[in-house]
Amino acid sequence: MNKRTKKWTQYIVMTLIALAIAFIVYSTVTQSKSKAVGVGDDAPEFELQKMDGSTVKMSDYKGKGVILNFWGTWCEPCKREMPALSENYEEYKGKNVEVLAIHLRKTPQQVEQFFSGLKKEVHLPVAFDKDNEVADAYGIDPLPTTVVIDKNGKVKAIHKGEMNDQTIKNYMNTVTP
């Protein structure tokens, strides 16, 4: 083999190695995204600690419609939608629809300050996803994101971003058993 042939062979081998690495990275990134829950999927099971110290599991909601609202105290859209979510929860909980506000950190004092700083009173069950395991399982990004689950545990909708009162009512009606 002459020098020129050796050089071309090295370039080809290096290019193939680079392409193989790029493919592995691409496959890894897209595969982890595809693990996130989608509409029509079963809602992943979880167990989280609530504000009052008790635990809550997805299986606790069997036979009920569920609205999982992922939020953070630093999130301005979360602040704006929280009163409407609370009002609708009060109206629909008698119709077998539950709401769980899942805060993406474990900071009870910040949550209490957040709620006391709102213009309207908010009464929602709050749980903490301090390691973002549940948020990752549900593919949550950005905040707020709301996952709507029917009485059979199937995801009916995923709403990314702020919801208004009418949107919340529509989702509540969607999962009313």
Side-chain angles (χ1 to χ4, degrees):
M1 241 194 264
N2 66 29
K3 266 186 167 180
R4 189 174 186 163
T5 306
K6 272 186 176 178
K7 221 174 205 179
W8 274 106
T9 303
Q10 287 175 337
Y11 285 131
I12 291 171
V13 169
M14 295 295 279
T15 302
L16 290 173
I17 290 171
L19 287 171
I21 291 170
F23 176 76
I24 290 168
V25 169
Y26 173 77
S27 294
T28 302
V29 168
T30 57
Q31 187 176 31
S32 66
K33 292 280 189 206
S34 68
K35 288 183 185 175
V37 70
V39 173
D41 291 345
D42 288 330
E45 180 60 42
F46 61 79
E47 183 173 333
L48 295 171
Q49 184 177 4
K50 291 172 53 177
M51 280 280 286
D52 64 7
S54 64
T55 59
V56 62
K57 297 182 279 193
M58 184 61 215
S59 58
D60 294 342
Y61 298 116
K62 189 175 182 157
K64 296 181 178 186
V66 183
I67 308 291
L68 299 179
N69 180 258
F70 292 84
W71 67 287
T73 55
W74 60 93
C75 166
E76 285 301 315
C78 301
K79 189 180 286 188
R80 291 189 299 266
E81 80 176 2
M82 205 56 76
L85 190 60
S86 180
E87 286 174 15
N88 281 289
Y89 171 60
E90 292 298 323
E91 181 181 338
Y92 282 84
K93 69 181 178 183
K95 298 176 183 176
N96 237 6
V97 177
E98 295 290 334
V99 171
L100 182 61
I102 301 176
H103 188 260
L104 294 191
R105 294 199 180 129
K106 188 174 191 284
T107 53
Q109 297 83 1
Q110 287 179 347
V111 170
E112 288 172 7
Q113 288 174 344
F114 175 87
F115 284 150
S116 67
L118 296 174
K119 292 178 180 154
K120 292 184 178 179
E121 279 194 41
V122 171
H123 301 286
L124 290 170
V126 175
F128 299 106
D129 187 14
K130 64 180 180 166
D131 297 322
N132 289 356
E133 290 176 7
V134 178
D136 290 345
Y138 281 84
I140 302 306
D141 185 44
L143 292 182
T145 293
T146 302
V147 180
V148 182
I149 303 164
D150 71 12
K151 67 178 183 172
N152 299 313
K154 296 282 186 193
V155 175
K156 299 303 282 182
I158 300 171
H159 186 99
K160 295 179 181 284
E162 183 178 348
M163 298 183 294
N164 62 29
D165 184 62
Q166 190 57 53
T167 302
I168 295 167
K169 279 186 188 324
N170 291 344
Y171 286 140
M172 296 273 189
N173 285 325
T174 299
V175 295
T176 302

